[in-house]
Amino acid sequence: MVNNIHSKPHYELLDGLRGIAAIAVVIFHCGEIIIPDFTKLMIAHGFLAVDFFFCLSGFVVAYAYDSRMPALGVKKFLINRLIRLQPLVVLGTLLGLAGLFLDPFASSDPLQEFGWGKIIMATMCSLLLLPAPILGRFGNVFPLNAPAWSLSMEYFINLLYAFVLVRISKKMLLVFLAASLLFISMVAYLHGGVIGGWGAASYGDGYARVLFSFLAGVAVFRFRLTIQNKIGFLLYALALAGVFLFPHTENDWWVELAFVVFVFPLLIALGAGTQVTGWVRQLCVALGAISYPLYMTHYWMMWFLISYSATKPGLQNIYLFAAGIVIGALALAWAVLKFYDEPIRKWLKNKFLGINK
């Protein structure tokens, strides 16, 4: 762990796990296009990476802002979060819009299929993180950049943190956590799992996912549940990958619930208590740095994969195309980080917060 600008240690190992989770999302999205029944995928539980993100976000936000909020104030907190999150919300939307018109394998003209009105409305709603399942596309509430649904949840939970969670006692936090556990348990039981949130029919499930996992992350920090240990990063990476690769069985909603309720908070509690050094630290830092750009800028390529698959080029060619997408998404994420995200955030911090960094 090293010191950051606020002289607080930074959890590089957790950054590394966030990067692995982001890569898992890209692979899962490719996989579910090739094999539409996601329960038969090798990475069948890759979608649980989002719940890991939410839990890690709760831990990191509480760690970074619990003690600073009285002096910082709600306004500056929200500006901080907007600067951190919104630039890639914008870019992800614009890439999705460009991809809609530039898909070389598309079988129809998007203007003829949707019309300018729906396309403009979908674009504006995506920029504002307002759900708008108006372009078909399997009912995605953010049809231009499907992963943005989780960012709408992230904005919701950040508002809740700023106005409520940062002010409550530990006892009240446990009450909130228990209520959110009941909520996500009901969702998992009634809907057969915790994959919802991305689509029009399941958008409400996203609130169950973000509420429990974010609160669990906050609880790990506030109750000082960090567990000091010397477990290597490779074992953490294998454990997290093991969750994503865990096979589906019939009526296994309780397995997904166990991963979300027990395994992810435990991984964060352990990971926060582990130091990494040398090349492993550098790897974790790099993985963490590209994780958010990767998550927010890869999905426009999924529509290319869908359109390409529809041309029936053969399974081997589809797999090669998907592998190219994964590699391309990683390269794009690095380029976006270096030439867009970091410079934009530096400029915004200087302009709105007076921080020249």
Side-chain angles (χ1 to χ4, degrees):
M1 290 183 286
V2 296
N3 289 339
N4 63 15
I5 192 171
H6 301 295
S7 299
K8 298 182 73 172
H10 188 79
Y11 299 107
E12 289 94 352
L13 188 140
L14 295 180
D15 285 343
L17 294 183
R18 185 170 64 240
I20 289 173
I23 294 170
V25 168
V26 178
I27 295 173
F28 176 80
H29 283 156
C30 288
E32 66 175 346
I33 292 168
I34 300 171
I35 304 174
D37 184 354
F38 72 90
T39 66
K40 293 181 170 58
L41 293 177
M42 180 176 291
I43 191 165
H45 284 99
F47 59 89
L48 291 178
V50 175
D51 302 271
F52 181 76
F53 292 147
F54 287 151
C55 193
L56 183 55
S57 178
F59 177 82
V60 170
V61 168
Y63 170 72
Y65 291 104
D66 267 9
S67 61
R68 296 171 55 206
M69 188 63 91
L72 187 67
V74 170
K75 181 180 178 180
K76 282 192 175 181
F77 167 77
L78 295 177
I79 291 173
N80 268 328
R81 300 308 291 159
L82 278 169
I83 290 172
R84 178 67 184 95
L85 301 174
Q86 192 64 23
L88 286 172
V89 171
V90 172
L91 183 61
T93 297
L94 296 179
L95 286 172
L97 182 62
L100 180 68
F101 287 99
L102 299 177
D103 185 346
F105 309 104
S107 59
S108 63
D109 183 343
L111 281 179
Q112 292 181 351
E113 187 175 359
F114 306 119
W116 276 117
K118 285 187 176 181
I119 292 173
I120 292 173
M121 182 176 293
T123 302
M124 296 306 298
C125 287
S126 184
L127 291 171
L128 298 172
L129 288 177
L130 300 173
I134 57 176
L135 298 185
R137 296 194 151 192
F138 307 104
N140 278 299
V141 291
F142 291 94
L144 294 179
N145 193 26
W149 77 266
S150 65
L151 267 294
S152 71
M153 297 297 163
E154 186 73 24
Y155 275 30
F156 156 75
I157 204 67
N158 275 264
L159 287 169
L160 187 66
Y161 173 84
F163 289 104
V164 179
L165 299 180
V166 74
R167 308 170 191 275
I168 63 176
S169 65
K170 289 182 179 180
K171 183 180 294 186
M172 186 56 65
L173 175 61
L174 290 178
V175 172
F176 277 49
L177 186 61
S180 66
L181 175 59
L182 179 61
F183 187 14
I184 197 171
S185 298
M186 289 177 59
V187 164
Y189 175 72
L190 293 174
H191 298 168
V194 291
I195 194 173
W198 57 271
S202 67
Y203 187 64
D205 294 3
Y207 290 99
R209 296 175 71 178
V210 72
L211 278 167
F212 175 80
S213 291
F214 188 91
L215 287 167
V218 172
V220 170
F221 171 72
R222 289 195 187 162
F223 285 92
R224 302 296 188 266
L225 300 180
T226 300
I227 303 169
Q228 300 298 321
N229 65 90
K230 296 184 178 180
I231 300 173
F233 173 69
L234 178 60
L235 290 179
Y236 284 106
L238 290 174
L240 187 60
V243 171
F244 303 146
L245 296 169
F246 197 85
H248 271 282
T249 58
E250 187 176 354
N251 198 32
D252 65 349
W253 61 270
W254 59 273
V255 174
E256 295 177 11
L257 193 63
F259 286 143
V260 172
V261 173
F262 298 111
V263 176
F264 291 160
L266 179 60
L267 278 176
I268 289 170
L270 287 166
T274 308
Q275 294 187 14
V276 287
T277 58
W279 69 268
V280 176
R281 176 184 172 276
Q282 293 176 344
L283 174 64
C284 288
V285 170
L287 285 170
I290 67 166
S291 60
Y292 184 43
L294 179 62
Y295 183 73
M296 287 300 287
T297 64
H298 77 276
Y299 205 83
W300 62 280
M301 290 183 271
M302 297 301 114
W303 298 108
F304 287 18
L305 179 58
I306 291 172
S307 300
Y308 179 68
S309 299
T311 67
K312 301 186 184 305
L315 194 58
Q316 182 177 359
N317 287 330
I318 294 175
Y319 274 110
L320 287 173
F321 195 94
I325 283 177
V326 174
I327 295 170
L330 286 166
L332 176 62
W334 180 86
V336 166
L337 173 72
K338 295 299 181 181
F339 301 111
Y340 172 81
D341 190 38
E342 288 182 340
I344 287 288
R345 285 193 283 123
K346 179 180 179 180
W347 180 81
L348 289 172
K349 285 181 178 180
N350 186 43
K351 182 174 180 62
F352 292 103
L353 298 174
I355 300 174
N356 189 18
K357 182 189 180 197

